[in-house]
Amino acid sequence: MKDVGIYKTLRDIRQAFFQLLESDGFRKITIGKICEVALVSRSTFYSHYQDKYDLLEKLVDEYSALFNQLAKQRADAILTAQLNVLSVSEITNDLKKHQSEINTLLKVHEEGLDLHARWEQSLDTLWVEVSKSRIKQEVPLTFLSKISSSLIISYIEWTLASDEETDAPSKLMESIFTTIYK
């Protein structure tokens, strides 16, 4: 287990970084500003991260891994016939625990460090596997995977960004996937 002091320092740096991402955007963030907001020294920052890109990469990796785990669990359940559809609303409910952080990271589009792009790439791969086992039509699997991934990510992003409490989008998603993957 990490030392409590280290845990608190990393937490403070992360919180400062998210706050600055919201207010200034990634490109305007400096290490000095992160340290000022987090109330840590530059040497403390550099003992944990190489630069702001390293910090962003670690955060994108963390939320990509969470998303991949949730999506893979659902895809595996479909492949083993335990589920009929992906249950995107369940994935979204699990992601809502990190809603603010994820919404902030989804606004950052740095090459190789784009959460949206990572999620899309992960889903594309998963959906090709799901589609192979479920589709009997003559539809290119990569096309079907791309459509499915886009719908799923659009639903998740809308749900995480919206304050609306409605089941309509979830029901529509389930209906679309039930129709495609009969």
Side-chain angles (χ1 to χ4, degrees):
M1 187 168 142
K2 288 184 181 177
D3 176 29
V4 174
I6 293 172
Y7 172 80
K8 288 179 179 180
T9 297
L10 293 173
R11 178 201 62 199
D12 293 346
I13 291 171
R14 287 171 57 118
Q15 287 175 343
F17 187 67
F18 280 117
Q19 179 183 333
L20 291 167
L21 279 173
E22 278 295 321
S23 63
D24 300 349
F26 181 74
R27 298 206 177 198
K28 291 184 180 177
I29 293 175
T30 64
I31 301 305
K33 194 70 170 162
I34 294 170
C35 294
E36 180 183 322
V37 174
L39 301 174
V40 298
S41 68
R42 291 175 76 86
S43 62
T44 299
F45 178 89
Y46 285 118
S47 69
H48 299 286
Y49 304 102
Q50 294 175 6
D51 53 24
K52 69 180 186 177
Y53 291 91
D54 184 41
L55 173 54
L56 177 61
E57 181 177 20
K58 283 180 171 53
L59 292 168
V60 169
D61 286 350
E62 178 182 332
Y63 291 107
S64 292
L66 173 63
F67 178 80
N68 292 345
Q69 175 192 1
L70 296 170
K72 184 159 178 23
Q73 285 173 348
R74 300 316 187 286
D76 287 348
I78 290 171
L79 291 170
T80 59
Q82 295 171 14
L83 278 179
N84 219 13
V85 292
L86 186 65
S87 300
V88 181
S89 59
E90 290 179 25
I91 293 172
T92 306
N93 288 338
D94 287 338
L95 293 173
K96 277 188 175 184
K97 297 171 190 160
H98 310 281
Q99 186 171 3
S100 177
E101 295 88 351
I102 290 172
N103 280 334
T104 300
L105 288 174
L106 286 169
K107 297 174 191 170
V108 179
H109 302 290
E110 291 295 315
E111 188 174 336
L113 302 174
D114 186 319
L115 186 61
H116 176 99
R118 292 233 192 135
W119 284 6
E120 195 168 61
Q121 181 181 20
S122 174
L123 278 177
D124 283 350
T125 303
L126 279 174
W127 275 111
V128 166
E129 291 305 310
V130 169
S131 298
K132 280 181 189 176
S133 70
R134 301 292 296 266
I135 296 295
K136 293 154 184 62
Q137 305 163 6
E138 297 269 336
V139 178
L141 294 179
T142 53
F143 173 71
L144 190 56
S145 171
K146 194 68 158 166
I147 289 173
S148 299
S149 299
S150 295
L151 282 170
I152 292 166
I153 291 172
S154 294
Y155 170 79
I156 291 170
E157 287 180 345
W158 180 84
T159 303
L160 291 175
S162 175
D163 290 334
E164 290 185 47
E165 293 292 327
T166 176
D167 289 338
S170 175
K171 289 179 181 175
L172 177 61
M173 289 289 295
E174 301 298 334
S175 174
I176 290 169
F177 284 112
T178 300
T179 301
I180 293 172
Y181 293 97
K182 278 185 180 178

